[in-house]
Each structure stands twice: as structure tokens, then as C-alpha cells.
Amino acid sequence: MLRLAGARLLDDRDYPAVRAALAADPVGSCMVAARVEVAGLDPWRLGGELWAADGRSPRSGRFSGLCFSGPNLIPLRGNGTVLRSFADRALRRQRTCSSIVGPAEQVLGLWDELTGEWGAAREVRQDQPLLALDGVPAVPPDPAVRPVRPHELERYLPAAVSMFIEEVGVDPRAGDGGVSYRARVSELISSGRAFARFEAGEVVFKAEIGALSSSVGQIQGVWVHPDRRGEGLGAAGTAAVVDRLVRGMGRTASLYVNSYNTPALAVYRRIGFRQVGRYATVLF
């Protein structure tokens, strides 16, 4: 096992202990658990590295800190000392992640350690309620919301791009002309995790199941066509995705939303979501 600056690079020998640690907070750790369950801990298969900061044997099943480093940097647990060890390791290489995201205390603490070297972020979203629902939604699901079919990619993609620009503030087609983003959306569609309501061949509501672990599905990319907002499509459409997750797939539905987005928060609470934690996101 490699040890650098107090942070250990975990591998498949640590898998049982890691699974136990992730299971302790299945909603908060869904993004990492979804990867680990499919790929194990080998960095090449995982698409990143999982770090621990703990002097004890990982086979004890106790980690004082866990952090995933890949397309996103996701610190799951750790106090100030642990976060410094993760920052030390992250600073040994050039930044490649597009964001730091996860439990707010760890994200903001890690960002405090990194900001001096990485410079200003494009945006810091400090308060993002993490919501969960494991029962029948209180809003009737929209029966017209269904999985997007592979041949509908071209009709779905403009809505996905519009959602991304509204939510993240950048065009996902920048840089490579949209090749990477198109591939990601196509993957979601082919895996049955992109949902939409079509009217006259146009998407009027969309949402996706991003991370999907064995117990939790994280809803992302909720969007309603600007001309159709205020009609209840968002609530009924999101309820349809929740119903698919809870009753159809046996998972808890989760999502996180900016605290200042009071209309969305009101909709999610009306559906039946409850707050189970707080996320934060640092966008580069």
C-alpha cells in the first residue's frame, strides 16, 4: 500500500472495509459507492483513486477519512488534520477535477486547504440541502414521463445542454465541441437512467439518475422547458423518477439542491423529500 503525506491509496484488499464505511452513510456517499460497487478500488477501473487517512489497518473497518479523487474530488469524511493530508496529496499533481463536491463540512474544509495553491474557484456553493425519499411520493407521478430511447438522443440532447448551462453556468460543449458530454448523455440513455416527457417531439421535462448504488439513486438534471414552467410538470415529473427508483428499483431516491433555490426546495418537499444532510460544491 502506498503512503503519501499521511493519505493512503487504497486498493482491492481494502474493499470490505470501504464498503462498510460507505454503507454507514448510503445517501451521502452514493456518488462514490456507485463507482466502488461496479469497479472495485483499482484506480484504472475506478476512474480515480480512493484515499484514506488513518494510521490503523484498513481491515479494522474504521477510517477517520475517505476521499475520492477523479473527475470530481469527493471528500466523504475527515477532520481538519485528515483534510490537510488529502490536500497534501492533491497538491502533488496538477488539478484535473472539475469540482469538489460532497458533505459540506469536508468540502469547505478541504477547499480552505487548497485555495492558496489552486487559486480562486469559479463558484462556491456552500449550502446545498441533501434530500432523500424512500417511500411513495406525495405528488402523483406523471404517467407521460418515461425512459428516453436511444434513437431519441438528438431530441433529448438540446434539453440536457440547456439544463447544464442553467445549472452549472458553462456550456458542456466547450472544449471538445460537446463530444464528451454527448457520450455521457448517450450512456445515461442507454442504461435507462434518462427520463423525459415529450410533447410534439420536444422535451418539456427531463431528469436523470446520475449515481446509482445498490441502495440509493441520485436524481440530477431536473429541467422544465422555460415555456412550460409553473404548470406542475417539474413536481409530477420528478415524482415519476422517484417512483421508478423506489418502487421499480428498490432504491432510496436522493438529490441535492442549492439552498437559495427556494422554488425547487418547495417542490421537492411537497413530493415528500426530507433533508438528511448538507452538501457543498466548489466549481472550477
Side-chain angles (χ1 to χ4, degrees):
M1 178 179 298
L2 186 61
R3 186 186 298 263
L4 288 176
R8 301 181 297 172
L9 174 62
L10 302 180
D11 59 34
D12 282 335
R13 293 171 295 180
D14 307 304
Y15 184 80
V18 169
R19 283 295 306 275
L22 296 175
D25 182 13
V27 176
S29 64
C30 175
M31 287 187 286
V32 176
R35 286 176 171 268
V36 169
E37 289 173 5
V38 171
L41 298 179
D42 177 78
W44 187 85
R45 298 194 309 269
L46 187 62
E49 297 178 347
L50 193 63
W51 306 335
D54 197 326
R56 291 168 292 193
S57 165
R59 282 174 287 277
S60 69
R62 300 177 63 188
F63 295 105
S64 61
L66 281 176
C67 183
F68 173 77
S69 175
N72 305 298
L73 194 59
I74 308 175
L76 292 178
R77 62 175 67 180
N79 59 21
T81 300
V82 166
L83 296 174
R84 280 191 290 276
S85 75
F86 292 152
D88 288 342
R89 187 174 181 92
L91 291 171
R92 290 177 175 265
R93 65 189 73 179
Q94 184 177 5
R95 179 184 66 79
T96 58
C97 62
S98 62
S99 71
I100 309 174
V101 61
E105 180 181 356
Q106 282 68 43
V107 166
L108 298 176
L110 182 56
W111 178 232
D112 283 344
E113 299 292 336
L114 293 170
T115 184
E117 295 293 330
W118 281 4
R122 181 167 58 83
E123 185 180 355
V124 179
R125 300 177 177 180
Q126 299 189 37
D127 186 4
Q128 298 176 304
L130 177 66
L131 311 177
L133 174 56
D134 58 6
V136 177
V139 172
D142 183 349
V145 170
R146 59 169 176 78
V148 180
R149 303 179 182 111
H151 73 271
E152 296 172 318
L153 172 62
E154 298 303 329
R155 286 192 284 166
Y156 183 81
L157 193 58
V161 170
S162 295
M163 175 280 304
F164 195 97
I165 293 172
E166 286 186 34
E167 175 62 25
V168 182
V170 298
D171 192 327
R173 299 165 297 186
D176 65 357
V179 173
S180 298
Y181 187 67
R182 179 189 177 90
R184 172 57 178 159
V185 172
S186 179
E187 177 189 5
L188 287 168
I189 291 174
S190 64
S191 62
R193 288 157 52 189
F195 299 84
R197 176 183 176 122
F198 290 90
E199 291 185 5
E202 185 177 32
V203 175
V204 296
F205 166 85
K206 67 162 289 292
E208 297 147 1
I209 300 170
L212 182 66
S213 74
S214 60
S215 60
V216 178
Q218 191 174 85
I219 299 172
Q220 65 178 30
V222 177
W223 179 88
V224 176
H225 193 286
D227 295 341
R228 302 295 303 276
R229 292 173 185 176
E231 299 179 16
L233 292 174
T238 303
V241 180
V242 169
D243 192 62
R244 176 63 64 98
L245 271 168
V246 174
R247 294 204 304 165
M249 305 174 71
R251 263 81 162 184
T252 294
S254 78
L255 54 81
Y256 60 99
V257 61
N258 295 312
S259 61
Y260 56 77
N261 192 348
T262 52
L265 271 170
V267 167
Y268 297 142
R269 286 169 177 153
R270 183 154 56 90
I271 293 169
F273 280 97
R274 69 189 188 282
Q275 184 168 351
V276 297
R278 184 168 72 98
Y279 263 26
T281 303
V282 178
L283 294 167
F284 300 111

